[in-house]
Structures are given as structure tokens and as C-alpha cells.
Amino acid sequence: MASYTPMIQQYLKIKAHYKDAFLFFRLGDFYEMFFDDAVKASKELEITLTSRDGGGADRIPMCGVPHHSAKGYIEQLVQKGYRVAICEQTEDPKQAKGVVKREVVQLITPGTIMETKVVEDNKNNFLTSISSFDNNSAFGLAISDLSTGETRVTLIHGRIDDVLQEIYALEAKEIVVDSDLKELIDKHMWDGVSITLSKENDTDIPEQFQSLVSSIKQQPLVIACGRLLQYLHKTQKRSLDHLQPFVLFETDQFMKIDYYSKRNLELTETVRSKGRKGSLLWLLDETVTAMGGRKLKQWLDQPLIHRGAIEKRFSIVETLLNEYFVRQELRDLLKDVYDLERLVGKVAFGNANARELLQLKKSLAQVPSIVKGLESLNNPYIRELMNTLDPCEDLKLILEQALQENPPISVTEGDLLKDGYNELLDKYRDASRNGKSWIAQLEKQEKEATGIKSLKVGYNRIFGYYIEVTRANLHLLSEGRYERKQTLANAERFITPELKEKEALILEAEEKSIQLEYELFQQIREQVKTYISRLQQLAKLISEIDVYQSFATLSEQRHYTRPCFSEGRELRIINGRHPVVEKVMGSQEYVPNDCMMSEGRELLLITGPNMSGKSTYMRQVALTAILAQIGCFVPADEAVLPIFNQVFTRIGAADDLISGQSTFMVEMLEAKHAIMKATQNSLILFDEIGRGTSTYDGMALAQAIIEYIHNNIGAKTLFSTHYHELTALEMDLPQLKNIHVSAVEENGQVVFLHKLQEGSADKSYGIHVAQLAGLPEQLIKRAEVILTQLEAEKSTESVQQVNELEEREVSVKEQPAQLSLFADSNVTNNDKFTTKQKKVIDLLLLQDIMAMTPLDAMTKLYELQKMLK
């Protein structure tokens, strides 16, 4: 250490406290990085790696970025999951004795970044903290979005996997834990999930945040909140007045949709492209404000399970649906409402500029008209909303009186405030403006006096004001008229005593004006801070109104209907549609389908060919339930639904290559999660479980899963399969019913009708699907030949077994008759059976049941049944 220069020693001392972050070390107009930071940053940011002498034996690796453009580089690093410590000069270099004092003023992390390029407008940027209790059997989970000030906390009983599932569903960007828990989470966190893991051992509530946790009584939750608040306090090192009091929520208050199901149902992003377009959120989002977009996503992440709260949302949506002109007026007004939540965050942080305060003023100007529009609607819930809307008229008046209509982005260059706002500021401005008028008049006079039309009076920061004359016109100047100041290649610059006197007056007025204006602007920003809680409440209500009008707009456009909730367990959907597929199809006609599941009809076994629409049908049932429980109308002619507490899915086949798991392992993990967590009030969707392994293994597992759900869980379940043998379960499981997607064959081509019918499918049409996919004709014909051979072999095997039975019957007849202890002990002697039926029954009697697997037995039973048919 001692061998390094004082500046490098200072760098190393500061870096020792931020080992897991890039240290942006301010040197003049640049942020510099040294040693390993420089090597890594040069690769990540694609900037030049250089070196410098730092006093040691070797030159030190170094790279840097200009301070005025550092924001973009910081965003790049944070987006990649890194942390960036901003180290500023805290004293004037001119007054420094030795090395300029420096200290870290902020630590920017994925969960604390405020910049809108990284933080999406319609998406929360969640930071979470976890604290464990009772030997890691219970966990406190605290959640915050620093950009909006939202905070929440909950207690989760279970394993660390259950907590991580909740965090994955939130799409959180960062988790804060203590040293012990960090190791445990490292082991359980999924590979490929982009979440930054940070450490904070201190859980004491900082004094300035005591009020935020006053309503939280459970000590484990207070500890989780303390960890999160300590982390924010230490990393941000500034005012966080916009943080809202922690809201306690129970995960059981909402429908649980785990990470798997959220992905499989494509609620917020598509499986294939990972993009928003094509997801349910994309379809639903008719909001016109950023706040409304975030609120919509929150509602979609947490559907309600309390009927009264859902019916309240239905009532508001229905009123807005019926009042087209009021709804359109509201939409137009909301378009001029900016992101109040994040504007308030910037005000609290102290980095809101004049343009952003102007956006706040324009937003507040819309509130009275929004209230007036709501007044015309006859709905008690809307009236309740309207009565709590606070237009903050006094704040709007302050901003209206103070701010220019078109202020600059910078707050340190003046021209922010209106004339007349401050008397002293007006005096400085008058002096500056009059001085500049005098300068303009001087230029005009000198042009006339000298006859030099190209003469001009200019200004630069080094020399101040000057008179410039081109070299070609110098002979027109009389001796001694001006004092020479600077010589250029093609001109000379001059000054006069009077010009320098005016310059002093102008520059002094400008400097004082800009300084005073900045101080006044800071005072205005501090005034706005006192309105933070009122503005946050206003933002909450406006975002809700925006979501309600979005639901109403969508429901009108797509012809959705208001669902009802059944008192028992009835599920009845008439002409239901998949909302996203229907929209994507556009002008093509979507084939609707019913779904009927009464109390005695809990499990539907769905068969049918590939591409016939089984998966779409299953998804549309789940999406209909989710839409209903977020308070939106649903794509159906009629819908009666139970209220589900959880939705579980296993749909689609995709290897998890990142974590090295096969399709079949992913299937089993998702199936296990559903089976272990589901209750009678859950909805389960299983699509072709077992297809990732051998036929017999897959069929055995599928049957076992069906039986377990039927006998042990009793949840509403849709189970699609290509194992037609499973349809025989309808005879043994009273609550299971077979349905199938119909298809017809015309001229050797299969036509999918996409219509669900009772009963089971008799063919899979696999070769026809391959033909539709465009496989070579030669390959298709060969497959047909092989299929014919396999079917013939199977048929021949059954015939051989029957022949063997007949031969055995002949042999038995030739033997002496044997007395029977009981009448009609041999069922084949019963006259009510035909000869063919007797043969099948006797064939059944010959089977060695105890030597067969359950799957072999089921397969043989299916063959015998086909022989009888």
C-alpha cells in the first residue's frame, strides 16, 4: 500500500468497502476505474483499457468515462446485474491541501436504480429482503419499489423454495439477505434467473424510518423491514421521504400462481420470445398512464379470492362499459397525466428538474375534470373513489405561479422561473437584460461610426465581451479607438474601458441571477416534498381508475361478458374463447367451446389429435378464471365459476437447458409442485404428462397422477393425453369424464374442427399432422406402411391368443367331465354370452394378473375391449 501514490492509496481504501461493486472514482471531468475494475469494465462497456503509473512496481490498469455521459454506462452495468459505487470529490480541488477528499455518495444496484431507461414505465422494479426464522421454516419477506415508494411485507411458512417462488413471480431484481441465508439461497436459486444477491446483516430500523413500520407488530416481519431499510439507507445516502408505510399482506389473500404456471399460461410474457406481445398482459393493457400499466400488472400477479372485492371491481367496470362517452373523456384526460409516483420519487431524491415539476403541474390540472366526469356516473363505488380524489389545488397554484412554461433540462443554468415570482430575481434579470441591450446598441453604433458592416460584439468565457474586426477592415479603424486584446488568423479582437465596465455588471447580474434562481427552485422542490403522501394517494386512485377503464374498453372491444360466481363448485363456461389467440387470429373465426364441470364432474380427460386445440382449450379455462378474479369481464357468452385459490399448470414441452434438466424432469418437477400444493379449491391443468419417457412408463405415471388427484385432492382438473388407454378410467373414477377434440378425415386429409365433444377420441392422426407440417411425401407414405404393419401385428397377436384359447377349449372338452361344486361355476357356460364373448372372457381368465404390471393389465384390458366392440 505504501508504495502507491496518495491518490491510489485513497482509491484502495474506498474500494475496500465496496469490493462487490464497480467504483466510479471521480477525477476532474472523468470517472476512472483501476485494477480489476478497469479490466472488467473495459470488456463489459467496450471502452479502451489503458494504464498509468501509480507508484508501484507495475503500471496500473485504468479506464474511464466522461462524467457528463456516465449515466448511460452506469445503466449498462446495472442492467447486467452489477452494482456501481459513485465516488465524488467532496471538496474544491483549488482549496485542497494534498489529495482531494472523496467519498461514495450513492451505491446504484439493480433493485435501487431510478433511471427510466432501465426501469420500465409500466413495470415495478422490486427490491426484496428475506429474514429466516424457526430453523428456516418461516421467512419474512419485505418488498420495495424505490422508484415509486411502495413497500410491502409478508410472512411465508415453508421452505426457501416457497419464498423464491414468490420473488420470481414478482420479477424482483435484487434480494438482500444476511451472510448465513446468502449461502442457502445460492444453493436453491435457479440457474439462469437474473437476480442480484446482496448482503446486509444490520436489521435495526433507522430512526427516520420508524414510522414506516409502526403498524407491523410481528417481530420477524419488523426484522425483514429493518434489513431492507438499512440497505436502502446505506446505499442511497440521501432523503427517502417518498417511502410509504409498510403494508402487511397475506399470500393467502390472493390466488396463488406459481412461477411455472405464470410462464406456461404466458401471463406477462411469451414462452418463446420472452416478450410482452402475445401475453395476457399485452392483451389486457388498454391503460393510458404508466401508473395504470403497473397497477394492471400487480392485479394480474395477485388475483383476488374475496368475492365482495371482485364484485366491486365488476360493478365499476360494468358502469364504465355502459357509459361510452364518459369513458372516452376519462381516457383523454388520463393521457395528460404523467407518472406521479415516479415524479414524487425524483422529488424526494432531490433530482427532479423544472420540466418534471411542470409535468406534475399539468397532471394536477386534469384532476378536477376527472372528478367531474366521475360525478356523472351513478355507482356507489365510483362515488367513493371520486370523494377521495385530492386535486392538490394549492400545490398546482404554487407551481403555476413559479415555473416557466418551457424551462431547460438543467436546473443550474437559469430561466426556470417566471418574471414576477421573486423581486430580487427580477432586479438581476433586468440588469442583465439592459446590459445586453446596451451591448447590442454598442455594436450598431460602432458599425455606423467605423463603416465596418462585419464588425461584431461577441463573448467567450475566457476573454469576456470583445469587439471583433476582420483583418481586411483593420485599415478603417482610427488609431487609439480600441485597445487590442487578441489576435486571430483572420481578425483582431479589441476592448474598451466602457465595454469592460458593462461586462462586469452583466456577468455579476447573470451569476447572481442563476444562483438565486437555483436556490429558489430548491425551495420549491422542498415545498413539493410536503405533498408527497397526498400525491401518492392521488396516484394510487388514478391508477385504479385507469385499470377500470382499461377493463371496460377491452370488454367492449372484444365482446366480453360479466361472469358470476357459483355458491358450490360448479364451473360452466358457454362458448368460451382464448382471449389472446382470438385477438392474434384477427379476422379469422375463432371456434368457441363450452366447459362444464359440475360437483360430480371434477376431472376432464381430454383426448384428440395434435394441433386440434387441446392446450388452447385448457389455457382458455385457466385464463377465464384469472380474468374473472382480477375483476375483468371474460371471453364467453356465459361464465359461472368457483373462486380458485391456486392455479397449477404443466403445459408445453421445453428442456431447461440452462439448469441441465430434460423435458421429462421439468414435467415431473412441475407435476410434483402442483400435487404437493393443490387443494380441493385449486385448478390444475396437465397437458400430456408422461410423454417425455417410454410409453409404458409415461402411461403408468399419467394414470397414477390422475388417480391421485381424483382420490386425494379433488381439485378441478383438465388432463389432456395421447394415451387413449387412459379413457377406460372413466369406468373406475366416478368424477372423471372423457371429452375429446373432434376431427374428420376427408380424401386422406385430416380436418381439425377444434370443437370439444363428450367421449374419447378414436384416433390420434399423428401421420396426418406430420403431413400438414410438410414432411416429405416419401417419408409420410413409409410411415403409413409401418403403421399398417404394426396394427396388423397387434391384431394378429390377439387372434393367435383367441386361437390358442379355442384349441385349449377342444382339449378340455375331450377330457372326462368334472363335477362342479357350484352351479354355473364356469361363466363361459352361461347362455347369455355369445360365443365370441365367451372366448374373450376365457382369454381373460387365462391371464396371469399377478405377474403383470398395472400398465400391462390395462393394455390387455383395452385389447380385449376392442375385440368385443
Side-chain angles (χ1 to χ4, degrees):
M1 188 82 166
S3 64
Y4 290 119
T5 62
M7 197 248 337
I8 294 299
Q9 289 184 39
Q10 182 190 49
Y11 169 86
L12 290 170
K13 286 177 183 176
I14 296 172
K15 175 65 181 174
H17 296 287
Y18 298 94
K19 294 178 181 177
D20 58 351
F22 284 101
L23 182 63
F24 273 43
F25 191 77
R26 184 69 177 267
L27 282 178
D29 289 337
F30 279 77
Y31 286 114
E32 301 289 0
M33 285 164 277
F34 303 103
F35 300 101
D36 290 343
D37 273 10
V39 175
K40 196 168 184 180
S42 67
K43 294 177 181 177
E44 294 289 352
L45 299 175
E46 297 182 1
I47 55 179
T48 303
L49 178 68
T50 61
S51 64
R52 66 173 290 162
D53 181 15
D58 301 316
R59 292 181 65 81
I60 296 170
M62 179 182 81
C63 69
V65 297
H67 80 93
H68 63 270
S69 61
K71 181 177 165 184
Y73 293 106
I74 293 168
E75 288 173 0
Q76 283 186 54
L77 291 172
V78 172
Q79 277 184 311
K80 293 180 178 184
Y82 295 113
R83 297 143 55 88
V84 179
I86 309 299
C87 182
E88 295 285 2
Q89 296 175 172
T90 55
E91 70 172 335
D92 188 342
K94 295 177 183 176
Q95 299 176 355
K97 296 177 180 179
V99 179
V100 177
K101 290 181 181 177
R102 294 179 177 86
E103 64 181 53
V104 171
V105 298
Q106 187 183 7
L107 181 65
I108 304 175
T109 70
T112 61
I113 191 164
M114 298 276 284
E115 301 303 332
T116 52
K117 285 186 180 178
V118 177
V119 181
E120 297 177 46
D121 286 342
N122 53 10
K123 199 172 182 180
N124 284 103
N125 192 65
F126 284 124
L127 168 74
T128 61
S129 77
I130 308 174
S131 298
S132 66
F133 310 94
D134 300 331
N135 294 321
N136 294 332
S137 63
F139 299 87
L141 175 63
I143 303 161
S144 173
D145 181 347
L146 187 62
S147 67
T148 65
E150 298 170 68
T151 55
R152 288 183 264 162
V153 65
T154 189
L155 186 64
I156 298 176
H157 294 281
R159 302 180 309 160
I160 190 64
D161 289 332
D162 299 312
V163 186
L164 291 175
Q165 279 277 355
E166 190 73 25
I167 290 172
Y168 296 149
L170 285 169
E171 299 180 43
K173 295 292 188 292
E174 187 174 2
I175 305 172
V176 183
V177 291
D178 61 19
S179 303
D180 296 333
L181 198 55
K182 189 174 186 295
E183 186 176 341
L184 178 65
I185 292 179
D186 274 332
K187 292 178 181 177
H188 286 80
M189 191 179 289
W190 296 349
D191 293 333
V193 174
S194 179
I195 301 181
T196 299
L197 199 57
S198 301
K199 187 172 67 176
E200 176 56 61
N201 291 324
D202 196 349
T203 59
D204 292 333
I205 306 293
E207 186 177 347
Q208 64 269 38
F209 299 135
Q210 292 285 340
S211 61
L212 301 183
V213 295
S214 58
S215 65
I216 308 300
K217 304 304 180 186
Q218 294 174 278
Q219 191 60 22
L221 299 184
V222 174
I223 291 174
C225 295
R227 190 184 311 285
L228 187 142
L229 291 171
Q230 281 286 353
Y231 184 74
L232 288 175
H233 176 61
K234 291 175 181 177
T235 58
Q236 301 312 296
K237 301 177 182 290
R238 63 188 67 199
S239 168
L240 298 173
D241 294 339
H242 69 302
L243 286 181
Q244 302 172 37
F246 278 89
V247 175
L248 176 64
F249 76 97
E250 301 289 342
T251 54
D252 292 339
Q253 292 174 349
F254 306 100
M255 175 198 281
K256 291 182 181 177
I257 309 175
D258 60 57
Y259 176 84
Y260 300 118
S261 302
K262 187 176 178 183
R263 180 196 63 191
N264 293 336
L265 292 173
E266 300 184 309
L267 295 189
T268 58
E269 64 179 26
T270 59
V271 172
R272 186 165 295 179
S273 70
K274 302 297 181 185
R276 195 167 183 266
K277 186 175 181 180
S279 67
L280 183 63
L281 180 61
W282 165 74
L283 168 93
L284 285 173
D285 197 355
E286 292 292 336
T287 60
V288 290
T289 69
M291 300 176 293
R294 289 195 298 275
K295 181 71 71 176
L296 171 62
K297 186 176 183 301
Q298 288 175 14
W299 284 11
L300 187 57
D301 285 336
Q302 295 182 315
L304 302 173
I305 60 172
H306 295 295
R307 182 170 179 171
I310 302 172
E311 295 288 359
K312 174 182 174 180
R313 290 183 182 179
F314 283 157
S315 175
I316 295 174
V317 172
E318 187 168 44
T319 299
L320 289 169
L321 175 63
N322 295 331
E323 295 287 349
Y324 172 80
F325 292 107
V326 176
R327 189 176 78 245
Q328 286 302 116
E329 184 184 357
L330 282 174
R331 283 179 64 85
D332 291 339
L333 291 168
L334 289 170
K335 286 175 183 175
D336 289 326
V337 176
Y338 292 85
D339 195 339
L340 295 177
E341 289 176 324
R342 286 187 169 154
L343 284 175
V344 165
K346 289 187 175 182
V347 169
F349 249 49
N351 58 5
N353 60 34
R355 290 189 183 181
E356 286 162 339
L357 293 191
L358 197 63
Q359 291 174 356
L360 178 57
K361 186 202 82 172
K362 289 178 179 178
S363 300
L364 294 176
Q366 309 307 313
V367 179
S369 298
I370 291 173
V371 172
K372 187 176 179 182
L374 296 175
E375 279 178 347
S376 64
L377 299 174
N378 185 22
N379 184 296
Y381 301 121
I382 292 179
R383 196 163 296 279
E384 183 184 319
L385 266 176
M386 178 198 70
N387 291 336
T388 51
L389 275 175
D390 177 6
C392 299
E393 287 282 358
D394 41 352
L395 175 59
K396 174 176 163 285
L397 186 62
I398 290 170
L399 298 175
E400 206 163 53
Q401 291 174 343
L403 297 175
Q404 293 268 28
E405 283 306 312
N406 191 25
I409 293 176
S410 171
V411 296
T412 57
E413 295 177 6
D415 206 23
L416 306 171
L417 307 177
K418 287 181 177 178
D419 289 341
Y421 177 72
N422 180 274
E423 187 177 347
L424 182 57
L425 179 62
D426 287 345
K427 288 181 179 178
Y428 288 143
R429 282 180 171 175
D430 185 59
S432 176
R433 287 167 185 165
N434 286 339
K436 288 180 179 178
S437 297
W438 182 87
I439 294 288
Q441 187 63 32
L442 173 67
E443 182 177 275
K444 183 179 179 183
Q445 290 173 359
E446 290 302 310
K447 282 182 179 180
E448 292 175 356
T450 62
I452 304 173
K453 292 183 179 181
S454 61
L455 180 146
K456 68 176 183 180
V457 179
Y459 172 82
N460 68 34
R461 296 194 176 195
I462 298 173
F463 295 111
Y465 285 98
Y466 54 81
I467 299 170
E468 183 174 291
V469 179
T470 59
R471 195 171 291 280
N473 290 313
L474 287 176
H475 66 281
L476 298 175
L477 289 181
S478 57
E479 188 68 31
R481 184 175 184 85
Y482 304 139
E483 178 185 338
R484 181 176 275 103
K485 184 67 176 177
Q486 185 184 15
T487 301
L488 303 178
N490 297 315
E492 292 281 348
R493 289 177 177 175
F494 304 91
I495 58 172
T496 67
E498 193 177 12
L499 180 59
K500 297 311 288 182
E501 184 181 339
K502 281 292 181 184
E503 175 189 300
L505 290 172
I506 293 169
L507 294 182
E508 183 183 17
E510 281 189 351
E511 185 180 344
K512 288 183 177 179
S513 171
I514 289 172
Q515 181 59 33
L516 176 60
E517 195 165 4
Y518 179 60
E519 291 171 3
L520 292 171
F521 179 75
Q522 285 181 308
Q523 291 173 17
I524 294 168
R525 204 157 54 188
E526 288 299 314
Q527 280 184 286
V528 177
K529 273 190 182 183
T530 63
Y531 290 84
I532 282 178
S533 60
R534 289 170 64 183
L535 289 170
Q536 287 174 330
Q537 178 63 14
L538 175 63
K540 176 179 177 292
L541 296 172
I542 287 179
S543 65
E544 287 184 16
I545 293 168
D546 195 10
V547 177
Y548 287 132
Q549 71 77 23
S550 176
F551 286 170
T553 301
L554 175 73
S555 299
E556 182 187 55
Q557 291 173 349
R558 312 300 304 177
H559 307 293
Y560 291 178
T561 189
R562 178 172 176 168
C564 302
F565 293 112
S566 58
E567 296 296 334
R569 293 180 49 75
E570 181 185 14
L571 186 152
R572 184 173 76 252
I573 299 173
I574 306 299
N575 286 331
R577 290 118 49 202
H578 189 297
V580 179
V581 173
E582 182 187 36
K583 180 176 180 178
V584 171
M585 286 177 66
S587 58
Q588 297 180 54
E589 184 180 356
Y590 184 93
V591 180
N593 273 296
D594 300 343
C595 183
M596 314 296 280
M597 301 180 78
S598 60
E599 289 199 27
R601 188 181 167 103
E602 304 290 349
L603 199 155
L604 297 182
L605 186 63
I606 309 168
T607 51
N610 284 318
M611 289 180 58
S612 61
K614 299 191 300 297
S615 298
T616 300
Y617 174 75
M618 295 169 71
R619 282 190 177 100
Q620 77 186 38
V621 173
L623 294 181
T624 298
I626 291 169
L627 284 174
Q629 289 183 224
I630 66 173
C632 185
F633 287 12
V634 300
D637 291 350
E638 180 187 341
V640 178
L641 303 161
I643 292 180
F644 293 109
N645 64 353
Q646 299 175 94
V647 172
F648 299 98
T649 69
R650 170 55 219 168
I651 299 177
D655 285 7
D656 189 350
L657 298 178
I658 295 173
S659 58
Q661 292 177 346
S662 67
T663 298
F664 185 67
M665 177 56 80
V666 172
E667 271 189 10
M668 292 301 101
L669 287 172
E670 294 183 14
K672 169 203 165 188
H673 183 71
I675 290 168
M676 297 297 290
K677 299 290 184 181
T679 69
Q680 188 181 26
N681 296 320
S682 301
L683 175 64
I684 299 176
L685 311 179
F686 279 167
D687 186 19
E688 299 182 28
I689 287 286
R691 63 181 169 182
T693 185
S694 70
T695 303
Y696 285 167
D697 277 355
M699 199 185 303
L701 282 166
Q703 179 176 343
I705 288 171
I706 291 171
E707 290 174 351
Y708 188 90
I709 292 172
H710 182 279
N711 298 330
N712 298 81
I713 301 174
K716 295 284 185 192
T717 304
L718 280 71
F719 195 109
S720 73
T721 184
H722 279 297
Y723 300 134
H724 291 195
E725 294 84 350
L726 295 179
T727 57
L729 291 172
E730 187 179 52
M731 294 184 290
D732 299 323
L733 304 178
Q735 294 182 338
L736 181 147
K737 299 298 175 185
N738 288 321
I739 62 174
H740 70 280
V741 187
S742 55
V744 295
E745 203 171 335
E746 293 181 357
N747 302 320
Q749 299 289 323
V750 66
V751 177
F752 301 122
L753 302 180
H754 304 294
K755 200 70 178 174
L756 269 292
Q757 296 179 352
E758 295 290 316
S760 59
D762 56 353
K763 290 183 70 176
S764 66
Y765 297 100
I767 293 177
H768 293 86
V769 173
Q771 191 172 17
L772 286 175
L775 266 65
E777 187 65 26
Q778 181 183 354
L779 185 154
I780 297 295
K781 288 181 178 179
R782 176 58 181 158
E784 289 173 344
V785 170
I786 295 171
L787 178 62
T788 303
Q789 290 174 348
L790 291 173
E791 289 176 341
E793 288 172 6
K794 191 172 185 180
S795 176
T796 301
E797 182 184 343
S798 297
V799 170
Q800 286 175 348
Q801 288 178 331
V802 172
N803 291 337
E804 289 173 9
L805 178 65
E806 288 176 343
E807 290 174 4
R808 194 172 297 183
E809 284 179 347
V810 171
S811 174
V812 169
K813 285 178 182 177
E814 292 174 352
Q815 292 177 4
Q818 190 173 357
L819 291 174
S820 174
L821 292 174
F822 304 101
D824 294 333
S825 64
N826 187 350
V827 293
T828 56
N829 292 330
N830 196 317
D831 293 336
K832 69 179 179 180
F833 294 116
T834 65
T835 303
K836 183 178 180 181
Q837 288 172 335
K838 289 176 183 177
K839 290 178 181 178
V840 171
I841 292 170
D842 285 347
L843 181 60
L844 177 61
L845 290 171
L846 290 172
Q847 305 302 315
D848 186 0
I849 300 296
M850 300 307 293
M852 300 171 75
T853 67
L855 190 57
D856 290 338
M858 186 175 66
T859 304
K860 180 57 67 177
L861 181 61
Y862 177 73
E863 291 174 1
L864 294 173
Q865 188 184 57
K866 280 189 73 174
M867 288 172 63
L868 287 174
K869 290 180 177 179

